[in-house]
């Protein structure tokens, strides 16, 4: 079945460590997105990519980095520069001919100890 | 510029009673509008979408929404709540066919009492 796979589902990190969250899709979608969700809040865009080897900052990109070397993959690195990284992270994708709807992964919950 | 306001952060209903989740939007462009549902610790699932066709949109699980341009609203309704409807619901706006400019509402948590 087509879909988006995020891993790991749960991740614990010590302060000062970088961590990378994986996002893989087999929907043949061109665009991919990373969102951050905090309790009781909506989603905030971290980075997005419309095509391989290209990506743009979203509203809260500071302390995060991404790469898009393959169409299927859009990993997110949470660096030690991110001051408050504990959150639920959601990856999404969209087909170029879609009317805007996103397909989401199951999310990754990062906790900094 | 665009924005989305979900008028209630929490809504509580009894099982079998109607559900109304309210969403108002503003957009400089002709908008596409979406409702997504999120169960705890899960990703978001599309419930329904409006993309300038019929103003009354039917979605999955018995939900529907009506686009009212004069009121800039896109309220989500369901005639009879089920326990499995308990979740967080997000209203989303984007200019038509411009998926990179999605704006999410703050979410409404729906609680369903037995």
């Amino acid at each position: 079945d087509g879909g988006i796979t995020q891993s790991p589902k749960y991740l614990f990190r010590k302060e000062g460590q970088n961590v990378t969250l994986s996002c893989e899709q087999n929907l043949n979608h061109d665009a991919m997105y990373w969102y951050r969700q905090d309790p009781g809040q909506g989603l905030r865009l971290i980075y997005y990519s419309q095509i391989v080897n290209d990506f743009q900052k979203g509203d809260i990109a500071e302390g995060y980095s991404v790469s898009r070397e393959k169409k299927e993959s859009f990993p997110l690195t949470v660096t030690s520069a991110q001051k408050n990284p504990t959150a639920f992270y959601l990856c999404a994708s969209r087909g170029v001919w879609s009317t805007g709807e996103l397909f989401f992964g199951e999310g990754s919950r990062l906790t900094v100890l | 510029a665009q924005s989305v306001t979900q008028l209630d952060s929490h809504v509580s209903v009894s099982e079998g009673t109607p559900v109304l989740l309210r969403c108002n939007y503003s957009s400089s462009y002709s908008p596409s509008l979406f409702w997504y549902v999120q169960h705890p610790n899960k990703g978001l699932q599309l419930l329904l979408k409006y993309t300038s066709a019929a103003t009354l949109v039917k979605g999955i699980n018995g939900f529907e929404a009506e686009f009212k341009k004069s009121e800039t609203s896109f309220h989500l309704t369901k005639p009879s709540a089920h326990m499995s409807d308990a979740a967080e619901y997000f209203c989303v706006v984007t200019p038509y066919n411009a998926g990179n400019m999605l704006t999410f509402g703050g979410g409404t948590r729906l609680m369903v009492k037995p």
Side-chain angles (χ1 to χ4, degrees):
Chain A
D1 287 333
I4 300 179
T5 302
Q6 289 187 241
S7 63
K9 189 165 179 64
Y10 298 96
L11 184 61
F12 297 88
R13 177 193 108 175
K14 293 182 180 178
E15 282 191 23
Q17 289 181 334
N18 292 355
V19 294
T20 297
L21 308 180
S22 170
C23 178
E24 303 277 333
Q25 55 100 356
N26 60 4
L27 299 167
N28 200 32
H29 285 171
D30 290 290
M32 297 186 73
Y33 306 78
W34 274 105
Y35 288 92
R36 171 180 171 139
Q37 185 177 28
D38 294 284
Q41 299 188 29
L43 278 67
R44 292 183 290 170
L45 182 64
I46 305 173
Y47 269 98
Y48 67 97
S49 168
Q50 294 180 271
I51 196 169
V52 174
N53 292 323
D54 187 50
F55 48 83
Q56 284 78 42
K57 293 181 179 180
D59 300 319
I60 56 164
E62 185 176 351
Y64 300 98
S65 66
V66 293
S67 62
R68 187 85 187 277
E69 297 176 1
K70 298 186 300 182
K71 186 176 184 178
E72 302 79 16
S73 179
F74 192 42
L76 174 73
T77 297
V78 184
T79 75
S80 57
Q82 169 49 234
K83 292 190 172 86
N84 185 20
T86 295
F88 190 54
Y89 292 88
L90 286 159
C91 180
S93 70
R94 178 179 68 87
V96 66
W97 300 113
S98 81
T99 46
E101 67 265 34
L102 298 177
F103 291 78
F104 284 85
E106 293 278 281
S108 293
R109 184 167 297 281
L110 172 63
T111 302
V112 174
L113 304 173
Chain B
Q2 58 188 19
S3 66
V4 179
T5 302
Q6 291 184 241
L7 297 164
D8 306 292
S9 59
H10 294 80
V11 170
S12 181
V13 301
S14 296
E15 191 174 22
T17 64
V19 175
L20 170 64
L21 305 183
R22 298 182 294 165
C23 172
N24 285 105
Y25 71 92
S26 68
S27 178
S28 304
Y29 308 93
S30 180
S32 292
L33 291 151
F34 309 85
W35 276 100
Y36 286 86
V37 60
Q38 184 183 31
H39 291 277
N41 293 311
K42 297 288 187 183
L44 278 69
Q45 180 186 15
L46 182 69
L47 273 180
L48 49 80
K49 63 182 178 182
Y50 165 77
T51 55
S52 77
T55 56
L56 182 61
V57 181
K58 294 189 184 298
I60 61 172
N61 300 334
F63 284 95
E64 63 181 39
E66 186 171 7
F67 173 70
K68 291 187 176 181
K69 186 175 181 179
S70 61
E71 298 176 12
T72 60
S73 69
F74 191 57
H75 301 335
L76 182 70
T77 61
K78 183 173 180 178
S80 177
H82 190 273
M83 295 298 291
S84 62
D85 294 328
E88 186 97 20
Y89 292 80
F90 292 95
C91 182
V92 182
V93 64
T94 181
Y96 180 73
N97 209 22
N100 296 328
M101 295 175 62
L102 284 86
T103 300
F104 285 78
T108 298
R109 181 164 298 280
L110 176 65
M111 294 166 283
V112 182
K113 298 176 289 187

